[in-house]
Amino acid sequence: STYQSMKVASDAKSIEEKRVQERKKALIVLMIRHLCDNGYVESAERLQTESKISLQDVDAADNIDMINIVQEYEDYYELRFQRKPKLTRKVGAGDK
């Protein structure tokens, strides 16, 4: 029925929204861990305060960090497109 198809679509949207929020939270956790591991303690504390996510409650899983994620992405991208990905760009005076 139409009601069932609407319910299924709504549930799928809700599940996807939850997945996006979980991904965002995981990324913040990884950023906080990266900041701490690289000596940016004040920045990490500020991010924890602003995001209301604390490494005392949740931390990065074993064997995962931002450096490994970037490296794996670079490897994947190079394998798929036969070139290194461009992760940053120079910002000129007109771009600011």
Side-chain angles (χ1 to χ4, degrees):
S1 77
T2 303
Y3 172 75
Q4 280 183 320
S5 62
M6 286 175 36
K7 173 113 172 74
V8 167
S10 175
D11 290 349
K13 183 177 178 183
S14 177
I15 289 169
E16 181 59 25
E17 287 172 357
K18 183 178 179 185
R19 191 175 298 145
V20 167
Q21 290 305 315
E22 288 172 354
R23 189 174 292 136
K24 286 179 180 181
K25 181 179 179 180
L27 182 56
I28 291 171
V29 169
L30 290 169
M31 289 188 302
I32 295 168
R33 171 53 52 208
H34 179 77
L35 291 169
C36 287
D37 290 350
N38 288 280
Y40 298 101
V41 178
E42 290 179 26
S43 296
E45 289 172 356
R46 179 74 183 259
L47 183 53
Q48 289 180 90
T49 300
E50 288 183 19
S51 67
K52 296 178 180 53
I53 297 172
S54 172
L55 292 185
Q56 293 179 345
D57 299 324
V58 61
D59 203 344
D62 293 341
N63 300 322
I64 187 125
D65 59 36
M66 295 292 290
I67 298 296
N68 286 340
I69 291 170
V70 171
Q71 182 178 0
E72 287 183 20
Y73 174 75
E74 287 174 331
D75 292 345
Y76 160 79
Y77 191 96
E78 189 171 6
L79 182 67
R80 180 154 187 209
F81 299 107
Q82 289 78 48
R83 61 186 170 94
K84 294 258 186 213
K86 187 174 182 180
L87 299 177
T88 60
R89 65 181 175 88
K90 296 220 183 261
V91 179
D95 294 338
K96 290 184 179 179

